[in-house]
């Protein structure tokens, strides 16, 4: 899988991903210094030899993205333990002009988390300290490398939760989540990271530490700089520590899986569940038939409902089980009576709920098994939400595409549109892009709702942002990182 | 009231506020151009003569803040109706080097919304268009000058609400709320404006329009520039239009007023109400005895409970009245049985609820009737929250202070500490500042939780922000406003 087309290639291992520099031959390496033995020696002085990885088998995984669509050529991976070490490493890279790729759990979907050429990888993998948990205010302060699921488990002990959940929770780092402004399954309820991150500490390209690590819920003293680090994908600095507002963990969670005859019924159900479930609604996801087929066929999972054109997951989280169940029951009865919903099941207990969540959370993994996956993550007005899938299905007819499917966060207007092929196909890509971006922009949607721009989408930024905004972004980049060493070739468009 | 000490003064009217330039004699006017007749002619060409105010009696109100503590010397007030007019006005001011003070409802509490010297006032008072309301997504797009309460009334018609409420709602503009990152009474439930503002359109000092006016819930395309306009108090640009995510309006609202014997009981009640009320808790406010006395004595309002050292307002907002009432009832019974709460009343119906809210919302107005009010708005860890008041009471003993009281958003860790005197007293001020800022900073609190820095607090920014952060802010200011004409003498510290 993810093999790339047979073009001239230096691939030596048969299942290795094509180098990014080969797949994108128009791209040229920036004017950065090249790594020398003296640099490695300096890194070893700072970290000790055990945390400077240079063996090809140790470095390989850090060069390739999870989707197996891009591959960089970093020769070394640095594994600092704390802010001071990150500062010393970046101080050296900055003064030498060495380009750097900050890396968390490497679960990004737009090629933002791996090097493009030979950038030095600085991994947050060893920065896993949870420094404090204020249970009465509901605030955690931690290092950037804590795995999302581990952080949530730690908070569960004191009755709190991370206000963020996504399929990659077992591998992604909270610092990476913040750097990419990850959205996920419960944004509908708990809001975006721009609201829940209370503070950020980051290290700039110069090695300077910027302390915006407030742990107060409210702080209106000057420009809110931490917001710039949220979602800038490591191009302005490397996030080392952060503080996060954490909601009280719900005492009662209910999950319903519904089948629906058509997309208007999905929208109707969304509108109705907002009214009926109100403050206890914690997730509203949809899955089309093609996505459900993929997860059952490719992963062998079982859908407990009869086959249908659309499915939805509706989750409630509340403080009193009887109340929540009563609200959910009334809502489901009304939807079934009306015929808006064809069938439904309510999962009782965490085990059954987890089984149902897998049908949604493992779609990305299932799609990869088809071979190559072209992934799109767009925001759209609900009136044209599913048109994005049908328009692309028509446009790709006859091109040998395996699937063209949609699923995602309908409650947030966020569509995950995915097209799979047996292997990478330039013809398919050219048929999708820039058409899909133009179509999305025409509806005033966003060409990247939550995945970010990373490497793959940076040159399409103008479909969602004005020239004046892009110009300001470039000037801000210049302020934070004058030499441009922080995660180059990402987020901002090529000249 | 607000007369200032008897110092040399050019005051001609007996109740006029002392000029800012006189009260702060160390301050010098920036190197900006002075308004000439040709400038006024250009403004009239852009707006027509009726919207260029120059008559002293028309300009006076725009020069003085609501607290009557600062007074500028603007000679003209401009009243554009749309973005293009703002762009033309700023284009002229930018090219001429005329300083500008953007102004919304002029309800700010830190001297940020009035000129310091002779800055030209650009008022959003006529920019009152509500452009679109998407009821199914819950998103409103409007101009900056819509009054908060008017916007909420408009949204009520379609079952939505503004996720923000504060005492000044009848006068403040939504654009001003966003520019100052206003917090208010329901941040606890609906989060900060950094989360709920979806898009901003702003005009820079050059007259350039920056369009970041997405109305999508999620948009991860490049740096989130709109965040910089949120809370920068008009120093980076003038917000002309914005889009806002609006929650579903609750079907059921309950409000309880409680009396409590001591501050530990306040904290205990906050902890318990989070557990019992969970997702329906929409406000958790506290009022100390001194604040309650002020609102009853100075405004003649009546508190329905027996006198007590502390009071709390607990509000619930939910989708099902029976459920909400049951949760609230159980919570109150437990608190009364335990003795944590001495007495309480639940207001049934909007009229009685409004009466109770007045006891909290009109404290600021009541304090002004004492004469001069020194206002502080700090975030603190809950463990030292009320110490801020007792420490200041001790420190000010014997100085003839009328009141030293505290109230505010205990649920957000946000204390409003207020000290009143018959007239402005430099001696009292010197006793408060910088001591209180040092004390707050020592507890890693914020010296401005929600009011912003404006004019009065800009030079104390270093108590809450690091040097490296302040340096980045100054560089960002330079990018957005190279000549420094946008709301000068505000937010950023003097050199």
């Amino acid at each position: 899988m993810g093999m790339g087309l047979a073009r001239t290639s230096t691939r030596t291992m048969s299942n290795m991903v094509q180098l990014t520099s080969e797949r994108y031959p128009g791209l040229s390496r920036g004017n950065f210094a090249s790594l020398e033995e003296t640099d490695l020696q300096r890194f070893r002085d700072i970290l000790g030899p055990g945390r400077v990885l240079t063996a090809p088998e140790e470095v390989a995984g850090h060069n390739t993205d999870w989707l197996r669509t891009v591959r960089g050529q970093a020769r070394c991976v640095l594994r600092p333990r704390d802010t001071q070490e990150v500062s010393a490493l970046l101080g050296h890279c900055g003064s030498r002009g060495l380009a750097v790729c900050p890396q968390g759990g490497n679960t990004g979907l737009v090629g933002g988390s791996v090097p493009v050429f030979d950038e030095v990888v600085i991994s947050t993998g060893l920065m896993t300290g949870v420094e404090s948990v204020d249970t009465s205010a509901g605030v955690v302060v931690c290092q950037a490398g804590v795995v999302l699921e581990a952080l949530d488990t730690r908070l569960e002990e004191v009755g709190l939760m991370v206000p963020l959940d996504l399929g990659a929770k077992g591998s992604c780092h909270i610092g990476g989540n913040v750097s990419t402004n990850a959205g996920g399954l419960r944004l509908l309820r708990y809001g975006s990271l721009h609201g829940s991150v209370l503070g950020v500490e980051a290290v700039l390209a110069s090695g300077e530490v910027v302390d915006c690590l407030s742990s107060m819920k409210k702080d209106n003293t000057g420009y809110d700089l931490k917001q710039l680090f949220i979602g800038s994908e490591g191009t302005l600095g490397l996030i080392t520590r952060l503080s996060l507002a954490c909601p009280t963990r719900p005492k009662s969670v209910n999950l319903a899986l519904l089948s629906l005859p058509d997309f208007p019924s999905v929208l109707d159900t969304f509108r109705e569940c907002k009214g009926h479930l109100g403050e206890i609604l914690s997730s509203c996801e949809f899955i089309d038939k093609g996505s459900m087929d993929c997860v059952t066929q490719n992963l062998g999972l079982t859908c407990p409902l009869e086959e249908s054109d659309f499915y939805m997951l509706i989750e409630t989280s509340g403080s009193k089980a009887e109340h929540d169940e009563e609200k959910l029951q009334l809502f489901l009865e009304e939807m079934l009576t009306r015929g808006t919903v064809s069938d439904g099941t309510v999962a009782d207990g965490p085990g059954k709920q987890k089984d149902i969540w897998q049908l949604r959370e493992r779609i990305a993994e299932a799609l990869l098994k088809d071979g190559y996956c072209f992934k799109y993550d767009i925001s759209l007005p609900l009136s044209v939400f599913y048109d994005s899938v049908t328009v692309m299905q028509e446009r790709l007819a006859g091109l040998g595409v395996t699937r063209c499917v949609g699923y995602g966060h309908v409650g947030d207007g966020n569509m995950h549109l995915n097209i799979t092929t047996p292997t990478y196909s330039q013809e398919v890509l050219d048929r999708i892009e820039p058409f899909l971006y133009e179509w999305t922009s025409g509806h005033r949607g966003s060409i990247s709702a939550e995945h970010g721009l990373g490497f793959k989408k940076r040159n399409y930024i103008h479909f969602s942002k004005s020239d004046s905004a892009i110009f300001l972004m470039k000037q801000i980049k210049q302020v934070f990182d004058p030499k441009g060493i922080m995660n180059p070739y990402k987020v901002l468009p090529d000249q």
Side-chain angles (χ1 to χ4, degrees), chain A residues 441 458-476 492-495:
Chain A
S441 179
R458 72 198 187 288
N459 287 325
Y460 302 107
I461 187 173
H462 60 279
F463 287 111
S464 286
K465 289 289 154 67
S466 63
D467 288 346
S468 58
I470 297 168
F471 183 66
L472 285 173
M473 290 180 204
K474 287 182 177 172
Q475 290 177 285
I476 288 171
L492 295 178
D494 299 336
Q495 289 312 323

Side-chain angles (χ1 to χ4, degrees), chain A residues 68-80:
Chain A
R68 304 183 61 76
T69 54
V70 283
R71 185 159 68 94
Q73 303 161 59
R75 288 174 44 212
C76 95
V77 175
L78 307 175
R79 309 191 78 204

Side-chain angles (χ1 to χ4, degrees), chain A residues 155-176:
Chain A
L155 291 171
E156 186 173 14
E157 294 165 15
V158 293
L160 298 174
M161 62 180 283
V162 184
L164 173 79
D165 192 12
L166 62 158
K169 59 177 161 271
S171 330
C172 63
H173 295 185
I174 187 69

Side-chain angles (χ1 to χ4, degrees), chain A residues 18 76 101 128 131 135 199 211 230 246 249 259 267 302 316 319 362 388 412 417 426 485:
Chain A
Q18 191 178 23
C76 95
C101 176
T128 57
E131 299 180 2
T135 51
D211 174 4
I230 302 173
C246 300
R249 207 170 187 91
S259 60
L267 290 186
T302 306
T316 67
S319 58
R362 293 182 67 190
S388 56
D412 308 315
L417 169 61
Q426 189 66 41
I485 66 163

Side-chain angles (χ1 to χ4, degrees), chain A residues 12-24:
Chain A
T12 50
M13 289 165 66
S14 65
N15 68 343
M16 199 171 259
V17 175
Q18 191 178 23
L19 286 176
T20 305
S21 58
E22 291 180 356
R23 184 164 287 166
Y24 300 84

Side-chain angles (χ1 to χ4, degrees), chain A residues 272-491:
Chain A
E272 288 299 316
C273 79
K274 280 204 293 183
H276 277 84
L277 305 175
E279 64 281 359
I280 63 168
L281 180 64
S282 56
S283 205
C284 182
E285 299 283 310
F286 99 104
I287 302 173
D288 71 0
K289 183 176 183 300
S291 304
M292 186 62 90
D293 287 349
C294 183
V295 87
T296 55
Q297 289 163 8
N298 288 2
L299 299 179
L301 301 185
T302 306
C303 172
L305 302 180
E306 299 262 307
E307 206 173 273
S308 183
D309 278 352
F310 291 93
Y311 304 87
M312 288 179 85
L313 271 77
I314 307 275
E315 188 194 68
T316 67
S317 301
S319 58
K320 204 166 170 71
E322 310 92 272
H323 290 174
D324 299 358
E325 283 158 17
E326 188 185 326
K327 288 186 179 101
L328 184 60
Q329 209 54 48
L330 277 173
F331 160 67
L332 292 177
E333 276 165 22
E334 183 167 327
M335 291 292 101
L336 284 161
T337 308
R338 268 207 220 177
T340 312
V341 165
S342 323
D343 195 8
T345 176
V346 176
D348 42 1
K352 285 198 182 158
Q353 289 182 5
K354 198 170 177 185
D355 289 344
I356 287 186
W357 268 119
Q358 299 242 332
L359 296 170
R360 164 66 188 82
E361 291 190 73
R362 293 182 67 190
I363 296 172
E365 177 193 345
L367 287 162
L368 272 191
K369 301 232 177 223
D370 279 350
Y372 193 93
C373 183
F374 298 92
K375 293 193 88 65
Y376 299 90
D377 161 50
I378 56 186
S379 282
L380 286 169
L382 292 176
S383 54
V384 297
F385 193 70
Y386 198 69
D387 294 352
S388 56
V389 178
T390 50
V391 161
M392 289 314 298
Q393 283 169 341
E394 283 163 30
R395 191 170 165 83
L396 294 168
L399 286 183
V401 154
T402 312
R403 293 177 222 269
C404 174
V405 302
Y407 63 97
H409 317 294
V410 65
D412 308 315
N414 182 184
M415 165 70 79
H416 292 319
L417 169 61
N418 285 258
I419 293 139
T420 61
T421 47
T423 57
Y424 175 78
S425 160
Q426 189 66 41
E427 191 189 3
V428 168
L429 183 61
D430 291 344
R431 197 87 184 130
I432 305 170
E433 300 180 15
F435 171 83
L436 179 62
Y437 297 131
E438 288 166 358
W439 187 89
T440 302
S441 179
H443 291 289
R444 283 196 72 92
S446 168
I447 64 142
S448 184
E450 60 176 12
H451 292 173
L453 295 171
F455 168 73
K456 291 188 200 167
K457 303 192 174 171
R458 72 198 187 288
N459 287 325
Y460 302 107
I461 187 173
H462 60 279
F463 287 111
S464 286
K465 289 289 154 67
S466 63
D467 288 346
S468 58
I470 297 168
F471 183 66
L472 285 173
M473 290 180 204
K474 287 182 177 172
Q475 290 177 285
I476 288 171
K477 169 75 174 176
Q478 185 68 27
V479 164
F480 282 70
D481 178 20
K483 291 181 182 173
I485 66 163
M486 295 303 295
N487 221 7
Y489 328 105
K490 315 282 173 67
V491 184

